[in-house]
Amino acid sequence: MSRDIGAEILAWLKAHEQEMLELLERVVNIDSGSYNKAGVDKVCEIFREQLEASGISTTVFPLEEYGNCLLAEVPGTAGPDAPHVLLLGHMDTVFPDGTVAQRPYKVENGIAYGPGVADMKAGLVMNTFVARAFKELGGNKAPIRVFYTGDEEIASPASRELTIKMATGAATVLNAEPGRPSGNVVVRRKGAFFIDFEVEGVAAHAGVAHEKGASAIDAIARKIVDLHQLTDRSMGVTANVGTVQGGVSVNTVAPYAKGQLDVRFPQEVDSEALHQRIMHIIEGESVPCTCARVLREGRFLPLFETDASRELLADYKRAALELGIDVDGEATGGSADSGLTSATGAPTLCATGPVGGHAHTAQEYCHLDTIVPRAQMVALTILARDEL
Protein backbone atom coordinates (compact mmCIF):
# COMPACT_ATOMS: atom_id res chain seq x y z
CA MET A 1 0.00 0.00 0.00
CA SER A 2 1.44 3.37 -1.00
CA ARG A 3 1.97 5.94 1.71
CA ASP A 4 -0.25 9.05 1.84
CA ILE A 5 2.24 11.50 3.33
CA GLY A 6 -0.19 14.41 3.00
CA ALA A 7 -2.79 12.68 5.15
CA GLU A 8 -0.15 11.70 7.69
CA ILE A 9 1.08 15.27 8.05
CA LEU A 10 -2.45 16.64 8.35
CA ALA A 11 -3.20 14.18 11.12
CA TRP A 12 0.11 14.89 12.89
CA LEU A 13 -0.56 18.63 12.94
CA LYS A 14 -4.08 18.13 14.28
CA ALA A 15 -2.77 15.80 17.00
CA HIS A 16 -0.31 18.49 18.15
CA GLU A 17 -2.84 21.33 18.41
CA GLN A 18 -2.67 21.55 22.20
CA GLU A 19 1.12 21.76 22.11
CA MET A 20 0.84 24.63 19.63
CA LEU A 21 -1.50 26.53 21.93
CA GLU A 22 0.75 25.98 24.94
CA LEU A 23 3.78 27.25 23.03
CA LEU A 24 1.82 30.26 21.81
CA GLU A 25 0.88 31.26 25.34
CA ARG A 26 4.48 30.85 26.47
CA VAL A 27 6.00 33.12 23.81
CA VAL A 28 3.25 35.76 23.90
CA ASN A 29 3.90 36.17 27.63
CA ILE A 30 7.41 37.48 26.94
CA ASP A 31 7.93 41.17 26.23
CA SER A 32 9.87 41.20 22.97
CA GLY A 33 9.68 44.69 21.52
CA SER A 34 12.13 45.42 18.73
CA TYR A 35 14.50 47.27 21.08
CA ASN A 36 14.29 44.62 23.82
CA LYS A 37 17.14 42.37 22.73
CA ALA A 38 16.96 40.24 25.87
CA GLY A 39 13.26 39.57 25.34
CA VAL A 40 13.62 38.70 21.66
CA ASP A 41 16.57 36.45 22.47
CA LYS A 42 14.47 34.66 25.09
CA VAL A 43 11.79 33.96 22.50
CA CYS A 44 14.51 32.82 20.11
CA GLU A 45 15.86 30.36 22.69
CA ILE A 46 12.41 28.86 23.30
CA PHE A 47 11.95 28.14 19.60
CA ARG A 48 15.50 26.80 19.33
CA GLU A 49 14.86 24.38 22.19
CA GLN A 50 11.59 23.23 20.59
CA LEU A 51 13.26 22.57 17.28
CA GLU A 52 16.35 20.85 18.62
CA ALA A 53 14.25 18.63 20.90
CA SER A 54 12.63 17.39 17.69
CA GLY A 55 16.00 16.63 16.12
CA ILE A 56 16.00 19.67 13.83
CA SER A 57 19.34 21.35 13.19
CA THR A 58 19.46 25.03 14.18
CA THR A 59 21.86 27.94 13.81
CA VAL A 60 21.73 31.13 15.89
CA PHE A 61 23.00 34.33 14.26
CA PRO A 62 24.09 36.60 17.13
CA LEU A 63 23.39 40.29 16.63
CA GLU A 64 24.91 42.99 18.79
CA GLU A 65 22.11 45.53 19.08
CA TYR A 66 18.92 43.72 18.12
CA GLY A 67 17.49 40.26 18.77
CA ASN A 68 19.36 37.28 17.40
CA CYS A 69 18.14 35.42 14.32
CA LEU A 70 17.45 31.70 14.22
CA LEU A 71 17.61 29.27 11.30
CA ALA A 72 16.16 25.76 11.38
CA GLU A 73 16.81 23.32 8.54
CA VAL A 74 14.94 20.17 7.55
CA PRO A 75 16.75 18.29 4.76
CA GLY A 76 14.82 17.12 1.70
CA THR A 77 15.20 14.00 -0.40
CA ALA A 78 16.27 16.09 -3.40
CA GLY A 79 19.50 16.99 -1.61
CA PRO A 80 20.95 20.16 -0.07
CA ASP A 81 21.55 21.91 -3.39
CA ALA A 82 17.93 21.71 -4.56
CA PRO A 83 15.86 24.92 -4.51
CA HIS A 84 14.49 25.23 -1.00
CA VAL A 85 11.32 26.28 0.78
CA LEU A 86 11.65 29.23 3.17
CA LEU A 87 9.18 29.68 6.04
CA LEU A 88 9.66 33.18 7.42
CA GLY A 89 8.63 35.16 10.49
CA HIS A 90 9.70 37.74 13.08
CA MET A 91 9.89 37.44 16.86
CA ASP A 92 9.78 41.15 17.73
CA THR A 93 6.62 43.13 18.48
CA VAL A 94 5.79 46.83 18.57
CA PHE A 95 4.87 46.79 22.26
CA PRO A 96 6.94 48.39 25.05
CA ASP A 97 8.34 46.59 28.07
CA GLY A 98 5.68 45.97 30.70
CA THR A 99 2.89 45.24 28.23
CA VAL A 100 2.72 41.56 29.20
CA ALA A 101 2.28 42.50 32.85
CA GLN A 102 -0.61 44.81 31.90
CA ARG A 103 -2.41 42.43 29.54
CA PRO A 104 -0.98 38.92 29.35
CA TYR A 105 -2.15 36.18 27.05
CA LYS A 106 -5.80 35.28 27.50
CA VAL A 107 -8.42 33.31 25.64
CA GLU A 108 -12.10 34.18 25.37
CA ASN A 109 -14.51 32.16 23.22
CA GLY A 110 -11.72 30.61 21.19
CA ILE A 111 -10.01 33.93 20.48
CA ALA A 112 -6.56 34.66 21.95
CA TYR A 113 -5.44 38.13 22.96
CA GLY A 114 -2.03 39.45 23.95
CA PRO A 115 0.92 41.46 22.62
CA GLY A 116 2.06 40.00 19.32
CA VAL A 117 -0.37 37.06 19.46
CA ALA A 118 -1.21 37.41 15.76
CA ASP A 119 1.66 39.64 14.61
CA MET A 120 3.25 37.28 14.57
CA LYS A 121 3.92 34.76 17.29
CA ALA A 122 1.09 32.48 16.19
CA GLY A 123 2.72 32.33 12.76
CA LEU A 124 6.06 31.39 14.30
CA VAL A 125 4.42 28.60 16.28
CA MET A 126 2.75 27.38 13.11
CA ASN A 127 6.03 27.38 11.14
CA THR A 128 7.78 25.53 13.96
CA PHE A 129 5.24 22.72 13.98
CA VAL A 130 5.22 22.43 10.19
CA ALA A 131 8.98 21.91 10.35
CA ARG A 132 8.55 19.36 13.15
CA ALA A 133 5.95 17.45 11.13
CA PHE A 134 8.23 17.11 8.11
CA LYS A 135 11.21 16.22 10.29
CA GLU A 136 9.27 13.39 11.95
CA LEU A 137 7.34 12.09 8.94
CA GLY A 138 9.52 13.11 5.98
CA GLY A 139 7.97 13.41 2.55
CA ASN A 140 9.50 16.73 1.47
CA LYS A 141 11.75 16.71 -1.58
CA ALA A 142 12.86 20.34 -1.21
CA PRO A 143 14.96 21.31 1.81
CA ILE A 144 12.95 23.41 4.26
CA ARG A 145 14.45 26.44 5.98
CA VAL A 146 12.61 28.18 8.81
CA PHE A 147 13.99 31.64 9.58
CA TYR A 148 13.13 33.72 12.65
CA THR A 149 14.18 37.39 12.80
CA GLY A 150 14.12 39.91 15.66
CA ASP A 151 13.84 43.42 14.21
CA GLU A 152 11.25 43.34 11.41
CA GLU A 153 8.91 45.86 13.04
CA ILE A 154 11.58 48.56 12.62
CA ALA A 155 12.38 47.63 9.00
CA SER A 156 14.93 44.90 9.73
CA PRO A 157 18.09 47.01 10.14
CA ALA A 158 20.22 44.08 11.32
CA SER A 159 18.48 41.04 9.82
CA ARG A 160 17.87 42.40 6.31
CA GLU A 161 20.92 40.89 4.63
CA LEU A 162 20.39 37.56 6.39
CA THR A 163 16.79 37.39 5.15
CA ILE A 164 17.92 38.15 1.61
CA LYS A 165 20.54 35.40 1.89
CA MET A 166 17.96 32.91 3.16
CA ALA A 167 15.57 33.72 0.30
CA THR A 168 18.11 33.66 -2.52
CA GLY A 169 17.51 30.60 -4.65
CA ALA A 170 14.28 29.64 -2.89
CA ALA A 171 11.54 28.01 -4.95
CA THR A 172 8.90 28.98 -2.39
CA VAL A 173 8.70 31.62 0.35
CA LEU A 174 5.79 31.63 2.80
CA ASN A 175 5.82 34.50 5.28
CA ALA A 176 3.65 33.75 8.32
CA GLU A 177 2.32 37.24 8.98
CA PRO A 178 -1.27 37.02 10.25
CA GLY A 179 -3.88 35.84 7.80
CA ARG A 180 -6.30 38.62 6.92
CA PRO A 181 -9.59 38.81 8.86
CA SER A 182 -11.19 37.62 5.60
CA GLY A 183 -9.04 34.49 5.79
CA ASN A 184 -7.11 35.56 2.70
CA VAL A 185 -3.37 35.72 2.21
CA VAL A 186 -1.44 38.74 0.92
CA VAL A 187 0.02 39.01 -2.57
CA ARG A 188 0.91 42.72 -2.64
CA ARG A 189 2.33 45.02 0.02
CA LYS A 190 3.53 48.59 -0.05
CA GLY A 191 7.10 49.63 0.47
CA ALA A 192 7.86 52.01 3.30
CA PHE A 193 10.34 54.55 4.62
CA PHE A 194 10.70 54.82 8.40
CA ILE A 195 12.70 57.97 9.12
CA ASP A 196 13.65 59.42 12.52
CA PHE A 197 14.84 63.03 12.27
CA GLU A 198 15.76 65.91 14.54
CA VAL A 199 15.75 69.70 14.28
CA GLU A 200 18.14 72.03 16.12
CA GLY A 201 17.16 75.61 16.88
CA VAL A 202 18.41 78.41 19.12
CA ALA A 203 17.23 78.68 22.71
CA ALA A 204 16.08 82.04 24.07
CA HIS A 205 13.81 83.43 26.79
CA ALA A 206 10.34 83.42 25.28
CA GLY A 207 9.44 86.78 26.88
CA VAL A 208 12.68 88.71 27.31
CA ALA A 209 14.59 87.73 24.15
CA HIS A 210 12.13 86.07 21.83
CA GLU A 211 13.76 87.62 18.76
CA LYS A 212 17.09 85.97 19.60
CA GLY A 213 15.65 82.45 19.42
CA ALA A 214 14.98 80.12 16.53
CA SER A 215 12.28 77.61 17.38
CA ALA A 216 12.94 74.00 16.49
CA ILE A 217 9.27 73.31 17.18
CA ASP A 218 8.25 75.97 14.66
CA ALA A 219 10.62 74.40 12.15
CA ILE A 220 9.44 70.84 12.66
CA ALA A 221 5.81 71.93 12.50
CA ARG A 222 6.39 73.43 9.05
CA LYS A 223 8.20 70.29 7.94
CA ILE A 224 5.33 68.12 9.16
CA VAL A 225 2.85 70.11 7.09
CA ASP A 226 5.03 69.69 4.00
CA LEU A 227 5.67 66.00 4.68
CA HIS A 228 1.98 65.27 5.10
CA GLN A 229 1.35 66.92 1.73
CA LEU A 230 3.29 64.08 0.14
CA THR A 231 0.18 61.96 0.69
CA ASP A 232 -1.42 61.14 -2.65
CA ARG A 233 -4.08 58.50 -2.20
CA SER A 234 -4.71 58.32 -5.94
CA MET A 235 -1.13 57.04 -6.25
CA GLY A 236 -1.30 54.95 -3.08
CA VAL A 237 1.21 57.14 -1.22
CA THR A 238 0.66 58.07 2.43
CA ALA A 239 2.87 60.11 4.76
CA ASN A 240 2.49 60.33 8.51
CA VAL A 241 4.63 61.88 11.25
CA GLY A 242 3.55 59.61 14.07
CA THR A 243 5.54 60.98 17.01
CA VAL A 244 6.92 64.41 17.91
CA GLN A 245 8.97 65.55 20.89
CA GLY A 246 10.68 68.83 21.59
CA GLY A 247 11.34 71.88 23.68
CA VAL A 248 12.55 72.35 27.25
CA SER A 249 9.92 74.57 28.89
CA VAL A 250 6.87 76.63 28.06
CA ASN A 251 8.78 79.89 28.37
CA THR A 252 11.80 78.89 26.28
CA VAL A 253 12.10 79.15 22.50
CA ALA A 254 12.63 75.47 21.66
CA PRO A 255 16.23 74.54 20.81
CA TYR A 256 15.41 70.97 19.86
CA ALA A 257 12.66 68.80 18.37
CA LYS A 258 12.45 65.38 16.80
CA GLY A 259 9.91 63.34 14.90
CA GLN A 260 9.31 59.96 13.30
CA LEU A 261 8.02 59.70 9.75
CA ASP A 262 6.24 56.78 8.07
CA VAL A 263 5.78 56.91 4.28
CA ARG A 264 4.11 54.08 2.33
CA PHE A 265 4.22 53.58 -1.42
CA PRO A 266 3.27 50.88 -3.96
CA GLN A 267 5.62 49.21 -6.41
CA GLU A 268 4.57 51.55 -9.23
CA VAL A 269 5.86 54.69 -7.48
CA ASP A 270 9.39 55.95 -8.13
CA SER A 271 10.69 55.39 -4.62
CA GLU A 272 13.99 57.15 -5.19
CA ALA A 273 12.29 60.31 -6.42
CA LEU A 274 9.93 60.14 -3.43
CA HIS A 275 12.89 59.72 -1.10
CA GLN A 276 14.58 62.78 -2.58
CA ARG A 277 11.46 64.85 -1.91
CA ILE A 278 11.41 63.65 1.70
CA MET A 279 15.06 64.54 2.22
CA HIS A 280 14.55 67.97 0.68
CA ILE A 281 11.79 68.71 3.18
CA ILE A 282 13.60 67.33 6.21
CA GLU A 283 17.00 68.85 5.49
CA GLY A 284 15.78 72.18 4.15
CA GLU A 285 15.84 75.29 6.36
CA SER A 286 12.17 75.80 7.14
CA VAL A 287 12.95 78.47 9.78
CA PRO A 288 16.09 80.67 9.67
CA CYS A 289 18.91 79.59 12.01
CA THR A 290 17.53 76.05 12.38
CA CYS A 291 18.93 72.87 10.87
CA ALA A 292 17.75 69.28 10.61
CA ARG A 293 19.22 65.86 10.00
CA VAL A 294 18.13 62.24 9.74
CA LEU A 295 18.96 60.11 12.78
CA ARG A 296 17.88 56.70 11.52
CA GLU A 297 16.29 55.35 8.41
CA GLY A 298 14.68 52.02 7.61
CA ARG A 299 13.21 50.88 4.33
CA PHE A 300 10.75 48.14 3.44
CA LEU A 301 10.60 46.95 -0.15
CA PRO A 302 7.22 46.38 -1.80
CA LEU A 303 5.86 42.86 -2.22
CA PHE A 304 4.71 42.52 -5.82
CA GLU A 305 3.13 39.86 -7.96
CA THR A 306 4.95 37.86 -10.60
CA ASP A 307 3.95 34.91 -12.75
CA ALA A 308 5.81 32.67 -10.30
CA SER A 309 4.07 34.15 -7.25
CA ARG A 310 0.69 33.75 -8.94
CA GLU A 311 1.50 30.06 -9.49
CA LEU A 312 2.39 29.80 -5.80
CA LEU A 313 -0.94 31.38 -4.86
CA ALA A 314 -2.73 28.87 -7.09
CA ASP A 315 -0.96 26.00 -5.30
CA TYR A 316 -1.88 27.47 -1.91
CA LYS A 317 -5.53 27.92 -2.93
CA ARG A 318 -5.70 24.29 -4.07
CA ALA A 319 -4.19 23.21 -0.76
CA ALA A 320 -6.84 25.18 1.10
CA LEU A 321 -9.62 23.66 -1.01
CA GLU A 322 -8.41 20.19 -0.02
CA LEU A 323 -9.38 21.22 3.50
CA GLY A 324 -12.69 22.66 2.35
CA ILE A 325 -11.52 26.26 2.78
CA ASP A 326 -11.78 28.98 0.12
CA VAL A 327 -8.83 31.39 0.22
CA ASP A 328 -7.77 34.17 -2.12
CA GLY A 329 -5.00 36.75 -2.34
CA GLU A 330 -5.40 40.42 -1.53
CA ALA A 331 -3.35 43.61 -1.21
CA THR A 332 -2.56 45.53 1.96
CA GLY A 333 -0.96 48.85 2.85
CA GLY A 334 1.27 47.21 5.43
CA SER A 335 4.91 46.33 4.83
CA ALA A 336 6.87 43.20 5.71
CA ASP A 337 10.03 41.21 5.06
CA SER A 338 8.20 39.49 2.21
CA GLY A 339 9.21 42.52 0.16
CA LEU A 340 12.85 41.56 0.66
CA THR A 341 12.29 37.97 -0.41
CA SER A 342 10.22 39.05 -3.41
CA ALA A 343 13.06 41.33 -4.51
CA THR A 344 15.41 38.33 -4.75
CA GLY A 345 13.12 36.81 -7.35
CA ALA A 346 11.83 34.10 -5.02
CA PRO A 347 8.09 33.35 -5.45
CA THR A 348 6.59 34.79 -2.27
CA LEU A 349 3.26 34.58 -0.50
CA CYS A 350 2.59 36.57 2.67
CA ALA A 351 0.12 36.39 5.58
CA THR A 352 0.06 32.60 5.62
CA GLY A 353 -0.13 32.61 9.42
CA PRO A 354 -3.23 31.99 11.56
CA VAL A 355 -6.06 34.47 11.08
CA GLY A 356 -6.02 37.55 13.29
CA GLY A 357 -6.46 41.28 13.35
CA HIS A 358 -6.07 44.65 15.09
CA ALA A 359 -2.29 44.23 14.96
CA HIS A 360 -0.24 46.83 16.85
CA THR A 361 -3.14 47.63 19.18
CA ALA A 362 -4.35 46.50 22.60
CA GLN A 363 -7.19 44.67 20.80
CA GLU A 364 -4.90 42.41 18.77
CA TYR A 365 -6.44 38.95 18.45
CA CYS A 366 -5.91 35.53 16.89
CA HIS A 367 -8.56 32.92 16.02
CA LEU A 368 -7.15 29.78 17.65
CA ASP A 369 -9.22 27.45 15.50
CA THR A 370 -7.24 28.60 12.45
CA ILE A 371 -3.80 27.55 13.70
CA VAL A 372 -4.06 23.91 12.63
CA PRO A 373 -5.80 24.54 9.27
CA ARG A 374 -3.30 27.25 8.33
CA ALA A 375 -0.42 24.92 9.26
CA GLN A 376 -2.02 22.20 7.15
CA MET A 377 -2.35 24.59 4.19
CA VAL A 378 1.35 25.41 4.41
CA ALA A 379 2.29 21.73 4.61
CA LEU A 380 0.13 20.78 1.62
CA THR A 381 1.55 23.72 -0.35
CA ILE A 382 5.09 22.50 0.33
CA LEU A 383 4.14 19.02 -0.92
CA ALA A 384 2.46 20.50 -4.02
CA ARG A 385 5.52 22.59 -4.82
CA ASP A 386 7.63 19.43 -4.68
CA GLU A 387 5.75 18.22 -7.76
CA LEU A 388 6.84 21.16 -9.92
Side-chain angles (χ1 to χ4, degrees):
M1 182 181 295
S2 61
R3 183 183 180 194
D4 187 343
I5 186 62
E8 289 183 36
I9 288 178
L10 296 186
W12 188 97
L13 290 168
K14 180 59 179 175
H16 287 77
E17 182 175 22
Q18 186 57 38
E19 288 182 55
M20 295 187 203
L21 299 181
E22 290 170 0
L23 180 58
L24 179 60
E25 179 175 7
R26 189 177 175 195
V27 294
V28 169
N29 279 337
I30 298 172
D31 284 319
S32 59
S34 303
Y35 297 101
N36 182 348
K37 175 174 170 57
V40 175
D41 287 350
K42 187 174 181 181
V43 173
C44 178
E45 185 63 16
I46 288 172
F47 281 116
R48 187 194 66 79
E49 291 172 353
Q50 278 273 330
L51 293 157
E52 293 206 342
S54 302
I56 297 173
S57 174
T58 67
T59 304
V60 174
F61 296 87
L63 297 175
E64 183 175 348
E65 186 175 355
Y66 302 103
N68 297 336
C69 294
L70 175 67
L71 171 66
E73 297 180 275
V74 179
T77 58
D81 296 328
H84 61 281
V85 172
L86 176 63
L87 305 181
L88 186 63
H90 64 85
M91 299 175 285
D92 60 319
T93 75
V94 300
F95 300 103
D97 293 352
T99 303
V100 167
Q102 295 172 359
R103 46 182 189 86
Y105 181 90
K106 70 175 181 178
V107 178
E108 295 179 351
N109 300 318
I111 300 175
Y113 301 88
V117 65
D119 187 15
M120 57 178 296
K121 291 179 177 178
L124 297 176
V125 169
M126 182 197 77
N127 282 352
T128 299
F129 276 80
V130 169
R132 285 184 55 188
F134 278 104
K135 174 61 178 178
E136 183 166 325
L137 300 174
N140 58 301
K141 295 179 183 177
I144 299 172
R145 297 179 184 175
V146 189
F147 195 53
Y148 307 71
T149 67
D151 59 352
E152 189 268 357
E153 292 290 5
I154 53 173
S156 307
S159 65
R160 169 179 298 253
E161 295 305 319
L162 286 169
T163 297
I164 290 171
K165 181 179 178 180
M166 296 302 159
T168 300
T172 303
V173 179
L174 301 172
N175 190 26
E177 291 281 355
R180 303 296 92 177
S182 62
N184 287 342
V185 293
V186 168
V187 294
R188 293 188 305 280
R189 286 184 179 273
K190 291 184 179 182
F193 298 117
F194 289 173
I195 300 176
D196 297 353
F197 63 102
E198 67 178 1
V199 181
E200 290 188 13
V202 179
H205 192 290
V208 176
H210 186 276
E211 72 284 357
K212 294 181 180 180
S215 173
I217 289 178
D218 186 357
I220 202 171
R222 295 170 189 265
K223 293 180 190 296
I224 290 169
V225 170
D226 290 343
L227 289 168
H228 282 188
Q229 288 179 349
L230 294 173
T231 294
D232 183 345
R233 292 187 178 86
S234 68
M235 294 292 293
V237 176
T238 58
N240 179 66
V241 177
T243 71
V244 176
Q245 295 175 308
V248 293
S249 71
V250 68
N251 55 354
T252 302
V253 176
Y256 177 79
K258 64 180 180 179
Q260 293 181 300
L261 172 68
D262 174 314
V263 177
R264 307 287 172 127
F265 55 90
Q267 171 72 12
E268 297 76 21
V269 166
D270 185 338
S271 60
E272 293 307 316
L274 177 60
H275 187 264
Q276 289 178 11
R277 292 173 65 192
I278 294 168
M279 291 299 104
H280 178 75
I281 294 170
I282 290 176
E283 296 175 348
E285 187 183 65
S286 53
V287 171
C289 298
T290 64
C291 61
R293 62 178 177 271
V294 170
L295 298 173
R296 190 190 74 84
E297 182 174 352
R299 181 181 298 201
F300 282 106
L301 299 181
L303 169 63
F304 54 94
E305 291 183 275
T306 64
D307 289 343
S309 71
R310 283 185 277 268
E311 290 175 3
L312 173 55
L313 174 63
D315 288 333
Y316 185 89
K317 291 175 67 173
R318 282 191 289 269
L321 284 175
E322 286 189 44
L323 303 172
I325 301 171
D326 189 16
V327 173
D328 207 346
E330 63 181 62
T332 180
S335 301
D337 276 345
S338 49
L340 295 175
T341 64
S342 177
T344 72
T348 299
L349 199 60
C350 198
T352 58
V355 174
H358 295 320
H360 298 193
T361 76
Q363 291 76 44
E364 182 174 346
Y365 68 89
C366 177
H367 286 286
L368 295 180
D369 62 357
T370 67
I371 290 182
V372 169
R374 300 291 278 202
Q376 292 172 330
M377 291 177 206
V378 167
L380 290 177
T381 300
I382 291 172
L383 291 173
R385 302 291 286 177
D386 278 342
E387 301 307 316
L388 296 178

